[in-house]
Every structure is written in C-alpha cells, then in structure tokens.
Amino acid sequence: MEGIPPVGSRLGHLLKHAQARMAALNERALAPLGTDARELGVLLVLAAHEPGSQRDAADRLGVDRTTMVALLDGLEAKGVVARRPHGADRRRNLVELTDAGRDLVLRAVRASDDAERALLAPLDDAASGALRRALERLATDGPAG
Amino acid sequence: MEGIPPVGSRLGHLLKHAQARMAALNERALAPLGTDARELGVLLVLAAHEPGSQRDAADRLGVDRTTMVALLDGLEAKGVVARRPHGADRRRNLVELTDAGRDLVLRAVRASDDAERALLAPLDDAASGALRRALERLATDGPAG
DNA sequence: TATTGTTATACTCTATAACTATA
DNA sequence: TATAGTTATAGAGTATAACAATA
C-alpha cells in the first residue's frame, strides 16, 4: 500500500521498544545488586523525600498506593527501608531508608547510569541531550490525560 | 541525600511514562475506529509485506508467534484481515488485508498521527525531530540484548 | 465522610510448553 | 528433526473493590 508508514516509524512503537531495551539493560545492571528498576524508583523517591508516607511515595512515583505496599514489603524484607508510625496521624506509616538502603541507592544509581550510557551509546552527546530534554519536557508539560 | 538524582531524571522512568502517555493517546484516538495500537501495528506490517506468513508478521512486529495468533483472530473476526492457505507450504497461512482492512489502516494511521501530534505538542519542530531521530537510531543501532 | 494502609481479586499483556500437521 | 500454527497455561505488573483503623 502507498502512503502507509512503516510500523518502525510510529512513535508508540519506538517508545515501546526503547523502554523495553532500557528495562532490559537496567535489569542486567541491577540484578547483581539484588534489586531492579522499580525498587530503585522507590529508593530514589525516598532519598529525595524522607521520611514520608507511603501515599506520598506512591504519588511521587506515579503508582497506586496498593502497588507501593508490595514494593515496600520487598524493600523492607531486604532491610533497605523501614516503616515506623507517624506520630501525629496514626493512619500513616513514615517510610525511610536504612543505612543499608542509603548504601544500596548509591551503588544502584551508578549501575543504572552505566545502563543508561549503554542505551545511549549509538547517540552522540548532542543527540543524547536532545532526547533527554525532549522526554523531560513531555513529562512536565504533557497532555493532561 | 546528596548526589542522588531525582527519579524524574532517570531515562527508564522518562521512557516508561512517555510510552504510557503515547499509549493512552493512541487508545483514545483509535477506539472510535474499533481498534487499538497493537492491532494497528499488525495492519501496518501487513500493509508493507502482504501477503506473508504469520511468522513473518510476528518477527517484523517483534512479538511471539503465539501472540500473533490472538491478534489475527481478533482482526479476522472484524473482517479486516484474511488467512488463506500457502500453496507451496501447507504448514503456513498467508495473511493479507481485506478491502475493509485497507480502509481501516488508512483511517487508523490518520487518527494515530493526531495522537502523536498531541504527545509532541509541548515540543517545537526541532525538538520533535530530534526525539524521533534519536529513538529511530536506538531502534536501529541499539545494543544487541 | 474521607483517608491510609492492607488484602484479595481480577485484568492485561506476553511468553513458555506441548500438540498437530506438515516439511 | 525442524518449523508453522494452535491451544493451554503461567507469569509479571498493575489496578479495583472491600475492609479496618483513624481522622
């Protein structure tokens, strides 16, 4: 057929495969540390906003609060985060990194940086920067839905 | 913590959310046509390489051949693709678009183009082009795994 | 009444394994 | 032996609904 673009030129297809490749690289980079990209996301949120409620962390990460329960269960079992009661509001947990968690997040970020460099290897610095800036702009100013 | 990047700056996070947003926009754009982005992917592959075996289509789309069975079942039920026997190799099906399928792919591409424009609205033409070229480069020259 | 954390459940997407028929 | 299509099944990831405790 004429005038029909190849599937490989569709933005949805390109984003899906770029994301899948990044996920695979992160998995390989983080597995030796006993963690993965989703857990690293939680650790980064906690490192930036600590201590905070589970709900705060879920909102910042963009996941449901029921998803956060399971993520924190896993991280707590590894001893890298701790829950403690919120003094003023007893419905809430305060969540924070342990010393082991602080150590892990440092090492995990370095490993994930390597994975990002591997993904971006085909691009020069200008193209890498443009890609990152464009994606950040979409995340910030994107359509409401 | 110091020296720890915000989760919103991680490439994995940015790609995941850009992909999710593109998927949501495609879903809204394609639902009135009774289809979705995955089906459009199949239709685009067929429009470019028709007729071909299910296995060929699966490889080109980057999905498992068992996934392609279900996708084609749905498209065949809608009357937009047809399977017929391969003359020379009776293990294979030849898959092709019907007239209704050719009509649908034309309309679906236009709808999906609108969705892509909506995603890229925050970017100027230079930034949109840079994003698209970078993603295409990653898809072409990306790391083997 | 509304919110936090929790559990149970269901849904989507996809892959793996096993089967049939062909080659 | 290997491959195409099919089916059944299982897994990952996530959301929805319902509940208890608390505000």
Side-chain angles (χ1 to χ4, degrees):
Chain A
M1 288 185 70
E2 293 158 28
I4 300 295
V7 68
S9 76
R10 305 307 293 171
L11 219 38
H13 193 261
L14 291 167
L15 285 168
K16 190 170 179 174
H17 284 265
Q19 193 267 322
R21 194 164 282 178
M22 181 77 264
L25 289 164
N26 267 332
E27 185 177 338
R28 259 188 268 174
L30 295 172
L33 304 180
T35 189
D36 59 34
R38 275 180 318 141
E39 290 191 343
L40 175 55
V42 178
L43 297 177
L44 290 177
V45 164
L46 293 179
H49 301 277
E50 186 194 23
S53 74
Q54 297 187 190
R55 176 56 174 272
D56 287 344
D59 289 346
R60 291 195 170 97
L61 194 59
V63 301
D64 194 87
R65 74 193 201 279
T66 63
T67 302
M68 184 57 64
V69 172
L71 285 168
L72 290 175
D73 285 349
L75 291 166
E76 197 173 33
K78 291 176 186 175
V80 293
V81 310
R83 290 165 160 121
R84 59 183 172 86
H86 186 292
D89 184 346
R90 284 155 62 193
R91 292 172 305 181
R92 300 177 191 241
N93 288 334
L94 283 181
V95 186
E96 58 195 353
L97 296 174
T98 63
D99 288 344
R102 283 174 227 287
D103 180 64
L104 177 59
V105 69
L106 284 165
R107 290 181 295 130
V109 165
R110 282 198 291 265
S112 177
D113 283 344
D114 290 343
E116 293 194 4
R117 273 190 289 272
L119 181 80
L120 298 173
L123 305 179
D124 60 28
D125 287 354
S128 291
L131 173 64
R132 191 180 285 277
R133 281 191 301 277
L135 291 172
E136 287 172 351
R137 186 72 180 277
L138 295 185
T140 307
D141 303 341
Chain B
M1 286 184 71
E2 292 158 29
I4 298 296
V7 67
S9 75
R10 304 307 293 171
L11 219 39
H13 193 261
L14 291 167
L15 286 167
K16 189 171 182 176
H17 283 264
Q19 193 268 322
R21 194 164 280 180
M22 180 78 263
L25 288 165
N26 268 332
E27 185 177 338
R28 261 189 267 174
L30 295 172
L33 304 180
T35 189
D36 58 36
R38 274 181 317 143
E39 290 191 343
L40 176 54
V42 179
L43 296 177
L44 291 176
V45 165
L46 294 178
H49 302 276
E50 186 196 22
S53 73
Q54 297 186 191
R55 177 55 175 273
D56 288 343
D59 289 346
R60 290 193 171 100
L61 194 59
V63 300
D64 194 86
R65 74 193 202 276
T66 64
T67 301
M68 184 56 63
V69 172
L71 285 169
L72 290 174
D73 285 349
L75 291 167
E76 197 172 33
K78 291 176 186 175
V80 293
V81 310
R83 291 165 160 122
R84 58 183 172 86
H86 186 292
D89 184 345
R90 285 156 61 193
R91 292 172 304 182
R92 299 176 192 241
N93 290 334
L94 284 181
V95 187
E96 57 195 353
L97 295 175
T98 63
D99 289 344
R102 283 174 227 288
D103 180 64
L104 176 59
V105 69
L106 284 165
R107 290 182 294 130
V109 165
R110 283 198 291 264
S112 178
D113 283 344
D114 290 344
E116 293 194 3
R117 273 190 289 272
L119 181 80
L120 299 174
L123 305 179
D124 61 27
D125 287 353
S128 291
L131 173 64
R132 192 180 286 278
R133 281 191 301 277
L135 291 172
E136 286 172 350
R137 186 72 180 275
L138 295 186
T140 308
D141 304 339

